[in-house]
Amino acid sequence: MHILDALWDNIAQYQDDFSRVLIFLPSNRAIKSVEKKIVDNVGHAVVLPNLVPLGNGVEDEEGKDDIDTMSNQERIIILARLLSMDANVKNMAAALPIARDFVRMQDYLENEGVKIQDINWAELIDDKYASHFQNKARILDIIKQLPNDRLTTTQKRNDGIRAWIKHFDEYDCVIVCGSTASVPATADLMEAVAKNKNGKIILSGKISGKEEDFELDTNPYHAENEFLKRLGLSFKDVQTLDVGKSEVMDMMNIAFSNSGEHIDSNIENIKLIECAKESEEAAVVAEITSRSIQQNKSVLIITPDAAANQRIKIEMFRRDIEADFSSGLAGGMTDLGRAILNLFDYWREESPRDFESKYAQSGYNLFDMLVRFVDENTDYVFQPNFKIENEDDIAIWQAIKNTAEILCANDIVLNVADARAIVADAVNSVTVRLKKAEDCKVCVLGTIESRMQSADVIILTGLNEEMFPTVGYKNAWLPRAIAKQVGLPSPNRKVSLMALDFMNLSCANEVYWLRSKQSGENLTTESRFLSRVRVACGDIINDKDILKSVRDMDNVEYEPLDYSAPMPPIDKSDVWVTELDLLIHNPYAFYVRHILRLKPKDDYWVLPDARQFGNCVHNAVEETEDYSASNLIREMDKRALEILPQNSILFYFWHKRFEEFAPWLEKYLKNQTNLQKETEGHINIMGRNVWARADIVTDEGVADIKTGEMPSKKQLKEGMAPQLPLEGFMWQMGAFKNVKPNVSLVPVLQFLHLKKGEEGFPPGYEGETAQEMIDNTVAKIKELFGQYSTDKVAEYEYRESVGRKYHEFDDLARKSD
């Protein structure tokens, strides 16, 4: 029997008119469960009771909407501004996390009925405390500068909870189910219910044991016991509902007492799986879920950690398992959120002045600026892309709009770094709930949402200390004794509540307890909950079969690597002369580049190198008609500044090189006739098109601008450096635009070698020497095409060659294996 059954037993008599019943429940998800229970039991459409999640006020309360409240975001922004004036904080971006922590402290105090404006921090934390606590006390006084003429959202919520009390007489039955009365406003409500003639309170668990155990703030029944004491009662006054035999709950009550008693308890419904690491734990969750689905069982997975939630989501996706993840998605993880934050990163890192201009044009309203940019922008590409009409993103836009209005109302103008931090804070304050599939048999919930939930199989994950359980609110600003004195809740409150959740959830028919022995690089300590169970009833059944199944998935049968050179089908596709250089020196590199069409990506962290330096020169020469040295330097500088980091010392050295060879380029370019730059042409050799893009073509021949090493005369004569000789061959055959074919003429093959320390360019190759280079290179290419472009295809073997460009694909060739 489940707590839902107990609730039904107490309301069944009102099924003729459930509208006379008011029920308070722990969460919206609990409401869904109760609705389903009622409809299933009644068997037809029915008017439901008034089901209210604890924390919600009266919907139609008169004057409720007229109450002026200060939102959490407004408090955070005002506090961040005040904190940024402190010399140790300096800016809004640094102040934001402190401000958020202050607001959280204020909320906890207000929950306990304490007004933070009434606290004298300096008097509380005097000279008997460490100086760092005294310094923090002075900073805490900033909270008092918040306007106190409006309610905070926490105060409004607590007032709304208490407002229900005056409406109890409107109902024949008022029930609070599944709550522990751990928050004062809820405890006030529950006290009123308990004292009402029509009121009932259904507590979870099975409270029994010694009074002194319940006094400990880590005990599962601590909050319930405190509530009973408030009513002048003890646990002996609580009526036990008949939910059937429950050996697990009886065992748990002994385990969580401090009696040290050992019992022989039958807990065969529970199995423990201890994984090596967190990723394996997520895989085990997916394996248990998969097996359960095959048996047509429902599954409830409890994870107290957002990161674990994400790991489980990935494993479910891999196995194509549809699951209902309750946590939703933080606004900063949505496409819209990421795109907006990436835009601010671009402004901050690349174009702060552009931000300042757009911000000013929008009247220093961040929301207006973003909306205008999205509407009018034509150049910037949002990454990732997003749909402006997406309904799920409305809450994110609203959060940004509210934040912008708060900034404007308080005359706060931001720089780009602070704006990025403020927008990130606003965006991440939103949780986008994912659409839940109907009748989904797998749910992944946190501990609070799991209350009053049931399933055929329950999996409790993360059963390590600092995870399950984890302590609650930790205050870094106050000594522990002072925190208790001013009314802040004990960090152990959460431990107590998680202990009760652990006990209740472990009573299902089939339960798995999961933990990982390692988190990141650190060894973990098993949950105190598991340790208590071991002490009470000895070893827990360890399910090794599921763990073995998961590990066997990674034990792939050994297959020796195939180190043989690739032999793809005949290739007669068009080829560029630069690729033929790879075919000559390292056929494997040609295979990867030309046939597989793979290119190595530039390393983000590596500064621009000789290749980018050469591109600056090529682009400057190609795109200008003014060949004066001064203009060439200006054009090359311009392109260098586009790719080099701001204020890069590398620009100084590049600029000096530009100054050295610009006069040589001026002299050469101005002396040419019929000059063509970056000219494409192609020639057919053995039925295969060979393409080239010559740097310079003139009436006399072709020239290649070289910023790196230049091939030797010997390499050119042997056909081992094919680019310039093949371009000369194309010149002879009239393959370039505006060049007439004339095989009797021999072109000049000129390298414009921009080498440091040299005076001018080396002389070009002419006459018989140039013709020998052309003939031998064409013969070499015909030989290669005979090997790789006919029926007898040669292997594209890996060859050791001198030169960085021939080694770009060494990792794919497994050269070092």
Side-chain angles (χ1 to χ4, degrees):
M1 190 172 178
H2 190 263
I3 193 171
L4 289 172
D5 298 307
L7 177 61
W8 171 255
D9 287 347
N10 280 274
I11 65 171
Q13 59 182 306
Y14 301 101
Q15 58 185 293
D16 290 339
D17 187 7
F18 277 133
S19 65
R20 297 179 293 144
V21 179
L22 172 63
I23 304 175
F24 295 96
L25 297 162
S27 65
N28 284 311
R29 190 173 286 271
I31 287 176
K32 295 290 185 186
S33 298
V34 172
E35 288 174 346
K36 185 176 186 304
K37 179 71 175 178
I38 292 172
V39 172
D40 287 348
N41 283 7
V42 172
H44 55 76
V46 64
V47 175
L48 292 167
N50 190 358
L51 304 173
V52 181
L54 278 165
N56 281 21
V58 183
E59 285 292 327
D60 55 354
E61 184 77 356
E62 187 176 346
K64 171 187 170 185
D65 296 330
D66 299 330
I67 299 174
D68 188 15
T69 59
M70 178 180 282
S71 69
N72 288 348
Q73 197 66 15
E74 185 173 0
R75 283 189 287 162
I76 289 167
I77 289 172
I78 292 174
L79 281 173
R81 184 189 194 186
L82 293 169
L83 286 162
S84 67
M85 298 174 186
D86 187 286
N88 295 315
V89 181
K90 297 181 180 178
N91 57 64
M92 293 275 285
L96 272 174
I98 305 172
R100 187 166 282 282
D101 202 29
F102 280 6
V103 167
R104 191 178 179 203
M105 183 196 298
Q106 185 181 13
D107 286 345
Y108 270 106
L109 287 169
E110 287 176 352
N111 270 336
E112 303 299 322
V114 179
K115 288 187 176 180
I116 203 164
Q117 283 81 4
D118 297 338
I119 299 175
N120 188 327
W121 297 109
E123 187 177 292
L124 276 173
I125 307 172
D126 53 22
D127 55 11
K128 66 175 174 285
Y129 290 99
S131 59
H132 71 91
F133 277 125
Q134 294 180 53
N135 292 333
K136 288 177 179 179
R138 284 190 286 273
I139 296 176
L140 282 170
D141 267 333
I142 289 175
I143 304 176
K144 293 184 178 180
Q145 297 181 43
L146 282 173
N148 61 3
D149 56 342
R150 290 186 288 164
L151 292 180
T152 65
T153 49
T154 301
Q155 291 171 324
K156 183 178 179 181
R157 185 190 67 243
N158 289 338
D159 289 348
I161 293 172
R162 295 183 175 99
W164 276 107
I165 296 172
K166 61 186 179 186
H167 293 275
F168 287 172
D169 291 341
E170 300 169 13
Y171 298 90
D172 293 344
C173 178
V174 181
I175 297 176
V176 177
C177 183
S179 176
T180 57
S182 57
V183 178
T186 305
D188 291 345
L189 176 78
M190 290 175 63
E191 181 181 3
V193 172
K195 293 177 177 178
N196 188 283
K197 62 179 180 179
N198 298 321
K200 294 182 181 180
I201 294 175
I202 301 175
L203 299 174
S204 61
K206 183 183 177 182
I207 185 167
S208 66
K210 295 180 180 179
E211 192 91 35
E212 56 265 31
D213 287 340
F214 303 149
E215 296 293 330
L216 298 173
D217 60 4
T218 55
N219 188 275
Y221 300 116
H222 176 73
E224 293 182 354
N225 185 63
E226 291 297 304
F227 175 65
L228 291 172
K229 284 165 56 180
R230 175 174 177 167
L231 298 175
L233 305 172
S234 75
F235 71 94
K236 295 175 183 177
D237 298 308
V238 177
Q239 176 186 348
T240 302
L241 297 174
D242 183 12
V243 294
K245 188 177 180 181
S246 179
E247 287 191 13
V248 173
M249 185 57 76
D250 292 335
M251 178 275 295
M252 288 286 186
N253 281 337
I254 292 173
F256 281 85
S257 72
N258 290 324
S259 65
E261 184 181 347
H262 181 86
I263 59 169
D264 294 324
S265 179
N266 178 19
I267 56 168
E268 292 182 355
N269 67 311
I270 301 172
K271 294 177 182 176
L272 172 67
I273 302 177
E274 297 185 279
C275 306
K277 51 189 179 180
E278 292 164 313
S279 57
E280 186 175 77
E281 185 177 347
V284 167
V285 171
E287 175 67 16
I288 297 169
T289 304
S290 177
R291 294 184 181 194
S292 301
I293 291 172
Q294 290 171 15
Q295 298 170 18
N296 199 30
K297 294 178 179 178
S298 59
V299 183
L300 175 59
I301 302 161
I302 310 301
T303 170
D305 176 41
N309 191 296
Q310 191 63 27
R311 288 191 293 271
I312 292 170
K313 185 179 291 186
I314 292 169
E315 290 297 331
M316 295 294 192
F317 178 78
R318 286 175 177 166
R319 290 173 177 252
D320 198 26
I321 297 173
E322 188 174 41
D324 172 15
F325 285 84
S326 70
S327 59
L329 201 62
M333 295 299 293
T334 63
D335 287 346
L336 173 63
R338 288 162 55 207
I340 288 175
L341 296 182
N342 286 339
L343 171 61
F344 274 92
D345 286 336
Y346 164 75
W347 277 331
R348 182 179 59 181
E349 296 166 12
E350 305 289 340
S351 188
R353 289 184 180 177
D354 187 37
F355 164 80
E356 291 165 6
S357 172
K358 289 179 169 56
Y359 191 29
Q361 290 169 12
S362 299
Y364 299 104
N365 185 302
L366 285 176
F367 178 76
D368 290 349
M369 178 191 70
L370 283 171
V371 170
R372 183 181 297 180
F373 186 80
V374 171
D375 285 343
E376 300 176 359
N377 162 65
T378 56
D379 299 324
Y380 179 83
V381 179
F382 281 99
Q383 293 292 341
N385 198 6
F386 62 89
K387 295 180 179 179
I388 193 70
E389 67 275 9
N390 190 347
E391 291 183 5
D392 292 338
D393 293 337
I394 291 175
I396 296 174
W397 285 116
Q398 188 62 52
I400 296 172
K401 186 175 187 293
N402 293 343
T403 298
E405 290 172 352
I406 293 167
L407 292 167
C408 291
N410 290 278
D411 296 323
I412 300 174
V413 176
L414 306 170
N415 61 37
V416 65
D418 287 345
R420 200 276 184 196
I422 290 283
V423 170
D425 190 75
V427 167
N428 284 308
S429 70
V430 176
T431 299
V432 177
R433 297 289 174 184
L434 305 176
K435 287 183 173 61
K436 176 182 155 186
E438 291 297 325
D439 300 322
C440 185
K441 297 181 74 68
V442 181
C443 285
V444 184
L445 307 177
T447 52
I448 294 175
E449 287 182 303
S450 70
R451 291 168 191 169
M452 297 187 66
Q453 304 302 304
S454 64
D456 299 320
V457 178
I458 291 182
I459 307 170
L460 301 176
T461 70
L463 284 165
N464 289 320
E465 283 298 297
E466 297 297 324
M467 185 66 65
F468 200 154
T470 182
V471 295
Y473 175 59
K474 295 179 183 178
N475 187 287
W477 297 89
L478 302 173
R480 183 168 291 187
I482 295 294
K484 184 177 180 180
Q485 182 181 337
V486 299
L488 285 171
S490 165
N492 286 329
R493 176 192 283 179
K494 190 168 185 178
V495 176
S496 167
L497 298 176
M498 292 184 83
L500 187 57
D501 292 330
F502 174 78
M503 293 168 61
N504 289 328
L505 290 164
S506 296
C507 292
N509 292 331
E510 189 175 347
V511 179
Y512 292 90
W513 291 342
L514 271 58
R515 66 174 293 259
S516 52
K517 296 180 179 179
Q518 189 170 331
S519 174
E521 299 297 320
N522 302 316
L523 295 178
T524 60
T525 302
E526 78 169 14
S527 168
R528 67 189 77 177
F529 300 164
L530 296 182
S531 301
R532 282 185 172 274
V533 172
R534 290 185 197 276
V535 170
C537 62
D539 289 335
I540 308 163
I541 299 173
N542 204 316
D543 193 321
K544 296 181 180 178
D545 172 60
I546 290 175
L547 191 58
K548 182 178 182 301
S549 297
V550 169
R551 289 176 176 173
D552 284 347
M553 293 177 187
D554 294 329
N555 295 330
V556 181
E557 188 176 343
Y558 172 73
E559 285 284 347
L561 292 173
D562 183 0
Y563 288 95
S564 60
M567 289 183 63
I570 298 170
D571 175 41
K572 292 188 177 183
S573 62
D574 291 7
V575 63
W576 289 85
V577 291
T578 49
E579 294 174 326
L580 291 175
D581 185 47
L582 295 176
L583 185 61
I584 291 169
H585 293 278
N586 187 355
Y588 181 81
F590 174 86
Y591 163 76
V592 176
R593 182 69 173 266
H594 178 73
I595 295 178
L596 298 184
R597 303 291 181 188
L598 299 180
K599 289 184 180 181
K601 280 186 127 182
D602 292 335
D603 189 333
Y604 177 83
W605 299 105
V606 174
L607 289 172
D609 55 14
R611 180 165 55 86
Q612 284 92 342
F613 175 83
N615 289 340
C616 287
V617 178
H618 280 79
N619 294 339
V621 171
E622 178 188 1
E623 294 171 14
T624 186
E625 298 299 328
D626 179 358
Y627 302 135
S628 65
S630 60
N631 182 64
L632 289 171
I633 293 169
R634 186 162 50 251
E635 291 293 327
M636 289 185 285
D637 281 350
K638 175 184 172 183
R639 284 155 182 78
L641 290 170
E642 289 174 354
I643 61 173
L644 290 173
Q646 201 168 19
N647 302 320
S648 170
I649 191 65
L650 195 56
F651 174 74
Y652 169 80
F653 294 104
W654 282 19
H655 176 73
K656 293 292 288 182
R657 290 282 308 281
F658 296 154
E659 288 183 326
E660 285 178 7
F661 59 67
W664 317 339
L665 277 173
E666 177 184 5
K667 182 178 179 181
Y668 175 83
L669 294 170
K670 285 184 175 180
N671 288 336
Q672 304 307 311
T673 56
N674 195 20
L675 176 68
Q676 300 179 66
K677 297 170 291 185
E678 295 297 324
T679 305
E680 284 189 6
H682 71 278
I683 196 77
N684 191 282
I685 300 177
M686 292 184 66
R688 191 168 184 180
N689 288 330
V690 177
W691 286 81
R693 183 181 291 110
D695 291 341
I696 294 174
V697 177
T698 70
D699 286 342
E700 294 183 352
V702 290
D704 184 18
I705 299 174
K706 280 286 183 188
T707 53
E709 287 301 315
M710 186 177 72
S712 66
K713 184 176 182 179
K714 180 174 181 292
Q715 288 175 313
L716 290 162
K717 280 190 170 185
E718 292 176 352
M720 300 297 287
Q723 181 177 350
L724 192 59
L726 284 177
E727 289 174 359
F729 181 54
M730 293 179 189
W731 185 92
Q732 284 183 317
M733 303 302 292
F736 294 120
K737 185 180 178 182
N738 298 328
V739 177
K740 295 179 181 180
N742 193 336
V743 293
S744 62
L745 287 177
V746 179
V748 175
L749 307 182
Q750 174 78 55
F751 284 107
L752 307 182
H753 196 203
L754 311 179
K755 187 175 181 181
K756 185 177 180 182
E758 291 188 354
E759 290 294 332
F761 299 130
Y765 299 106
E766 304 179 31
E768 292 181 1
T769 301
Q771 191 61 53
E772 183 182 0
M773 293 175 177
I774 292 170
D775 292 343
N776 290 344
T777 300
V778 172
K780 182 73 174 178
I781 299 308
K782 287 180 177 180
E783 177 189 343
L784 290 171
F785 284 176
Q787 293 175 353
Y788 294 101
S789 302
T790 58
D791 292 342
K792 295 181 179 179
V793 181
E795 293 181 340
Y796 287 90
E797 63 180 347
Y798 178 88
R799 291 180 194 161
E800 292 282 356
S801 301
V802 177
R804 176 182 166 188
K805 62 183 176 181
Y806 306 125
H807 294 274
E808 287 183 323
F809 305 106
D810 282 5
D811 54 338
L812 293 177
R814 298 184 178 275
K815 174 180 173 291
S816 302
D817 285 1

